């Protein structure tokens, strides 16, 4: 079984003024001042091309798809990861940045955007493929 592990992709989108009325303000300032240009760019597209070229049986993303856990960031991640989502079974777990605020955790923003890739699955060795679980079933590591 060939597994590719990705983590800390940190998709970012400019937050609205209303979204900054939380701890996101400090996070946004930190990004602008200390980490400008660190996340993003053409390297993500090259990474996805490289992953597809390796023809994995499964891709596992262990958190931090987003930077501030906004809908816009999850949508950007979904679009950018589209080629992987269409062609390779993908399992993802939420990281601390995907639950950046209590509100993002409370409304289960990660699950709304990637819940269909958070349900786990199983390896079918005789068929040499990954079988995703029912998206409605909760894996043991999902928390509320």
């Amino acid at each position: 079984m060939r597994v590719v592990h990705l983590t800390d992709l940190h998709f970012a989108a400019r937050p609205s003024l209303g979204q900054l009325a939380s701890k996101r303000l400090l996070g946004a300032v930190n990004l602008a001042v200390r980490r400008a240009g660190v996340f993003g760019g053409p390297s993500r597209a090259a990474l996805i091309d490289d992953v597809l070229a390796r023809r994995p049986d499964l891709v596992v993303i262990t958190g931090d798809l987003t930077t501030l856990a906004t809908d816009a960031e999850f949508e950007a991640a979904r679009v950018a990861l589209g080629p992987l989502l269409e062609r390779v079974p993908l399992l993802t777990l939420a990281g601390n940045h995907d639950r950046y605020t209590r509100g993002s955790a409370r409304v289960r923003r990660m699950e709304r955007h990637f819940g269909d890739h958070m349900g786990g699955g199983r390896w079918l060795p005789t068929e040499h493929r990954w079988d995703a679980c029912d998206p409605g079933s909760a894996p043991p590591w999902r928390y509320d």
Side-chain angles (χ1 to χ4, degrees):
M1 178 176 193
R2 298 164 81 181
V3 178
V4 169
H5 172 232
L6 303 174
T7 191
D8 294 282
L9 296 173
H10 287 283
F11 286 89
R14 185 178 299 248
S16 69
L17 189 57
Q19 291 172 324
L20 293 175
S22 68
K23 82 180 233 181
R24 285 191 184 115
L25 177 61
L26 183 58
V29 170
N30 181 34
L31 283 171
V33 173
R34 296 185 60 210
R35 301 180 188 203
V38 171
F39 301 119
S43 62
R44 273 203 207 108
L47 173 68
I48 290 168
D49 289 343
D50 185 60
V51 169
L52 289 171
R54 293 174 187 277
R55 301 173 43 123
D57 298 303
L58 175 67
V59 173
V60 178
I61 301 176
T62 55
D64 290 353
L65 282 170
T66 66
T67 303
L68 301 173
T70 65
D71 282 314
E73 290 175 342
F74 281 112
E75 290 163 7
R78 189 89 191 191
V79 168
L81 295 171
L84 290 177
L85 298 173
E86 293 167 5
R87 296 170 45 192
V88 181
L90 187 136
L91 172 64
T92 188
L93 306 172
N96 65 311
H97 282 259
D98 303 319
R99 305 255 195 247
Y100 199 71
T101 64
R102 288 184 186 146
S104 60
R106 184 178 53 253
V107 300
R108 301 173 61 92
R109 191 165 287 128
M110 173 83 176
E111 286 82 357
R112 284 200 335 245
H113 291 278
F114 282 90
D116 54 338
H117 297 281
M118 295 177 76
R122 62 189 171 144
W123 176 249
L124 301 174
T126 57
E127 299 177 35
H128 196 67
R129 71 176 181 86
W130 181 260
D131 181 39
C133 285
D134 174 14
S137 66
W141 57 82
R142 183 182 284 177
Y143 58 92
D144 294 324

